[in-house]
Amino acid sequence: MARVLVTGGAGFIGHCTVRLLAERKHRVSVVDNLSSGNHALPEARLHVMDIASPELRHVFKEEKPDYVIMLASQVGVASSIRDPLEDARVNVLGTTNLLWACVEFRVKKVVYASSAAVYGTSAGPVTTEDTDLRPTTFYGLSKLTAEKYVRMFGLHYGLPFTILRYSNVYGPGQERSKEPGVVSRFLQCALNGATPVVYGDGEQTRDFVYVEDVAQANLAALTLGENHAINISSGRAISVRRLLSTIARLTRTNLRPVFAPRTEGEIAHSTLDNSKAAMVLGWRPQTNLRSGLRKTLRHLLNTGDHASVVGLREALETPAAASLLPNRP
Ligand SMILES: NC(=O)c1ccc[n+]([C@@H]2O[C@H](COP(=O)([O-])OP(=O)(O)OC[C@H]3O[C@@H](n4cnc5c(N)ncnc54)[C@H](O)[C@@H]3O)[C@@H](O)[C@H]2O)c1
């Protein structure tokens, strides 16, 4: 059993990670300012605090963490463009404050949650960890800058680290995020009879990785992959249009989108190669898009009131429903 501090533990990926840590009998504490996270955390001791706060060291003094998983972040691409100061305050200064506390309290290792956004214009159909880093948004830039701070703390203070670069994460709980991803938005539209918005022509491709697989990678990185940056992804591309039609078939709805101008700085194609994760962490995604979407939909049906899709829950349980989705993500 180890003492693990998770920042951003009340958020989408954080909550799933906290649950898995608790299942593995680790002692878990969380620092979260609840700015977007809102998940209940019976498995952990919650400290409501900003990661940039000078009070952070008191939490470290009390919790004495062996490991820190760094998920707290300003997470919105569009909001980073609207407010680059807040983005840098949290993602750069907040991260640095956190790393400083890790050094002072002799944390054994940090796992930093980075993003495919660091590749920016270099991202393509096969993006490896050696691909050039050319972010196109303040969010991508602040995540890359934080990565560099993580490495610099390793260099000057010997703080061991693993940087994980997630592709597009989806799954149960994302609907509660302040900036839910496209899978969550499309599923919600299907269940609520709303019109989905597609930014750009919908031909842009993405690589969707299931949240429980990401949580598994976070745990693997506690002890493996020291001083590496590693992609965490499905390694498979799907266009936004194809995702929409897949969700329409799954939910038996007629999802006709409206098209809006593409977001400034948005990358056309992004598929992260995940072979390094297999080699270094022994990690492979376990959940394909078909079963991930089904699990997410089941979660939404169990937690919400969606009268517009009567019978869908039962239909999901029948073998025939399997044919509603393609085999490959
Ligand atoms: N969701 C994705 O597709 C994705 C993809 C790539 C990388 N990431 C990274 O994964 C991490 C978690 O993202 P998520 O999707 O769970 O987002 P989320 O918004 O659900 O979770 C972020 C959590 O951090 C907390 N937080 C924000 N600012 C804070 C601050 N200043 N101090 C303390 N807590 C703060 C929020 O309250 C929230 O609970 C982030 O670092 C994000 O950049 C996410």
Side-chain angles (χ1 to χ4, degrees):
M1 184 200 76
R3 288 176 298 237
V4 186
L5 174 70
V6 182
T7 70
F12 165 51
I13 301 169
H15 177 238
C16 190
T17 303
V18 166
R19 276 205 325 251
L20 193 60
L21 284 163
E23 266 169 45
R24 303 268 172 93
K25 308 287 176 222
H26 294 298
R27 207 188 89 180
V28 192
S29 55
V30 164
V31 169
D32 198 303
N33 67 356
L34 306 183
S35 56
S36 65
N38 50 16
H39 290 267
L41 295 165
E43 310 89 346
R45 288 152 60 103
L46 171 65
H47 301 265
V48 180
M49 189 177 290
D50 196 296
I51 53 166
S53 165
E55 305 294 310
L56 191 65
R57 58 185 309 283
H58 300 309
V59 175
F60 276 71
K61 201 170 174 185
E62 189 182 330
E63 298 293 348
K64 300 181 183 57
D66 299 308
Y67 302 97
V68 176
I69 301 180
M70 303 170 65
L71 294 162
S73 178
Q74 190 297 114
V75 296
V77 170
S79 37
S80 82
I81 294 169
R82 274 197 308 274
D83 191 352
L85 277 187
E86 175 61 8
D87 181 74
R89 184 191 74 77
V90 177
N91 293 1
V92 181
L93 285 181
T95 300
T96 312
N97 189 45
L98 188 54
L99 290 165
W100 195 225
C102 291
V103 169
E104 185 182 350
F105 290 90
R106 297 178 195 283
V107 165
K108 289 181 188 158
K109 188 178 180 191
V110 298
V111 176
Y112 177 70
S114 187
S115 161
V118 299
Y119 294 112
T121 49
S122 305
V126 185
T127 308
T128 71
E129 291 81 355
D130 295 329
T131 301
D132 286 347
L133 303 170
R134 295 204 198 103
T136 55
T137 60
F138 292 108
Y139 171 71
L141 178 62
S142 65
K143 296 301 274 189
L144 176 56
T145 307
E147 280 196 17
K148 291 185 177 177
Y149 269 88
V150 169
R151 288 180 187 280
M152 200 62 87
F153 271 88
L155 183 69
H156 290 291
Y157 294 104
L159 178 64
F161 65 86
T162 298
I163 293 164
L164 300 180
R165 294 179 183 149
Y166 310 149
S167 61
N168 289 66
V169 188
Y170 75 99
Q174 191 173 28
E175 74 284 357
R176 293 163 67 172
S177 293
K178 210 154 86 179
E179 309 231 8
V182 63
V183 168
S184 179
R185 284 194 287 112
F186 286 173
L187 280 171
Q188 292 279 2
C189 286
L191 295 182
N192 298 324
T195 304
V197 181
V198 170
Y199 295 95
D201 61 6
E203 294 305 331
Q204 65 271 44
T205 57
R206 290 291 175 268
D207 169 336
F208 294 101
V209 61
Y210 190 62
V211 65
E212 283 174 19
D213 286 336
V214 173
Q216 294 280 2
N218 289 340
L219 264 70
L222 291 177
T223 50
L224 296 168
E226 190 164 314
N227 302 352
H228 282 283
I230 304 168
N231 290 340
I232 298 299
S233 68
S234 72
R236 294 177 187 278
I238 181 170
S239 74
V240 169
R241 267 181 197 265
R242 176 100 194 278
L243 174 73
L244 187 67
S245 58
T246 302
I247 288 177
R249 280 202 305 280
L250 174 68
T251 54
R252 300 174 176 186
T253 49
N254 187 8
L255 272 179
R256 280 186 203 285
V258 293
F259 291 88
R262 78 183 183 85
T263 312
E264 199 61 44
E266 198 198 345
I267 301 156
H269 301 287
S270 170
T271 314
L272 302 190
D273 179 275
N274 59 20
S275 43
K276 185 174 176 183
M279 214 162 56
V280 175
L281 298 178
W283 177 91
R284 284 182 185 79
Q286 300 298 313
T287 312
N288 66 20
L289 189 61
R290 180 174 76 174
S291 57
L293 286 177
R294 286 165 62 103
K295 286 183 189 182
T296 312
L297 179 58
R298 195 171 294 129
H299 160 84
L300 288 171
L301 289 168
N302 287 338
T303 51
D305 177 18
H306 304 290
S308 61
V309 280
V310 174
L312 186 55
R313 192 180 286 111
E314 293 71 24
L316 262 179
E317 307 306 331
T318 66
S323 64
L324 293 170
L325 284 166
N327 277 319
R328 284 164 54 88

